[in-house]
Amino acid sequence: MIERGSALPSVPTKLVNADGIADTTTTDVLGQGLVVLFTVPGAFTPTCHVNHLPGFLANEAKLRTAGVTRIVCASVNDHHVMKAWAENTGALGHIDFLADGNGAMAKAFGLQLDLTVAGMGPRFARSAVLIRDGVVQDVFVEDGPGVGASGAPAILMALEAANS
C-alpha cells in the first residue's frame, strides 16, 4: 500500500472533469499541489453516493481554504459511469474523477478490495489520501463499513492538525 513519504505510482487512467474525458496518468492528475484523493468502491453505490462523495462536495470551500488545490475521486468504474455519476451529483466542475475501469490504479496503490463475494469483483477500498506535489502525506483507509476516517470532515481535521 502507498504510505506516507512514498511517491505516487504512475498508472494510466481516464480523467473525467468539466473539460470532458481524457487519457492521462495518475502522476499527471495527482502530482502537483495539495491534492485530496478519495477512493470509493463504486459510483452510484449507496454509501459512496449518499455519504462519501456528498461530504466532499459540501466541504469543497473549506478544503480549498485549507490549501487543497484539487479534489479527486477514483473508483473502479468506466469513464461513462463516472461521468454520469459526476453529472448526477452536481460534482462535475467541483471534483475531478478518475475512472479506473480495470482496477490497475487500485492495485498499484495497494488499495484494492475484493468484493467478488458481493458480485462486484476487485474494487477500491474506501479511503482518502493527502498528496503534496506527488508525495503521499497521509493515507486514511476505512476498516469497516461506512464513512469515517476517509470522509471530508476527517480530512479537514487532518489538514488543520498538519497546519498548526
Side-chain angles (χ1 to χ4, degrees):
M1 178 188 322
I2 56 172
E3 55 189 35
R4 183 179 289 168
S6 66
L8 291 176
S10 184
V11 181
T13 187
K14 290 200 181 278
L15 173 65
V16 177
N17 64 16
D19 296 329
I21 299 169
D23 290 322
T24 189
T25 65
T26 53
T27 50
D28 285 344
V29 175
L30 307 171
Q32 294 183 5
L34 179 59
V35 179
V36 173
L37 167 69
F38 66 103
T39 66
V40 298
F44 292 108
T45 58
T47 303
C48 306
H49 188 69
V50 175
N51 297 87
H52 211 175
L53 174 62
F56 281 94
L57 190 56
N59 284 287
E60 177 190 10
K62 290 179 184 176
L63 288 162
R64 302 235 185 251
T65 298
V68 172
T69 56
R70 194 170 204 175
I71 305 166
V72 181
C73 176
S75 183
V76 179
N77 289 109
D78 68 62
H79 57 282
H80 301 292
V81 170
M82 294 299 278
K83 182 175 186 273
W85 192 37
E87 291 172 344
N88 178 273
T89 58
L92 196 63
H94 300 278
I95 296 172
D96 292 337
F97 293 80
L98 292 177
D100 186 29
N102 293 321
M105 180 182 166
K107 187 174 183 178
F109 279 46
L111 294 170
Q112 194 173 44
L113 176 66
D114 186 0
L115 292 177
T116 303
V117 72
M120 295 172 67
R123 297 292 180 123
F124 261 111
R126 185 175 312 286
S127 72
V129 184
L130 288 173
I131 306 158
R132 186 179 301 277
D133 296 324
V135 176
V136 176
Q137 300 296 294
D138 223 332
V139 182
F140 308 88
V141 181
E142 297 293 346
D143 59 4
V147 178
S150 67
I155 300 308
L156 282 165
M157 286 193 312
L159 288 166
E160 183 179 296
N163 291 332
S164 57

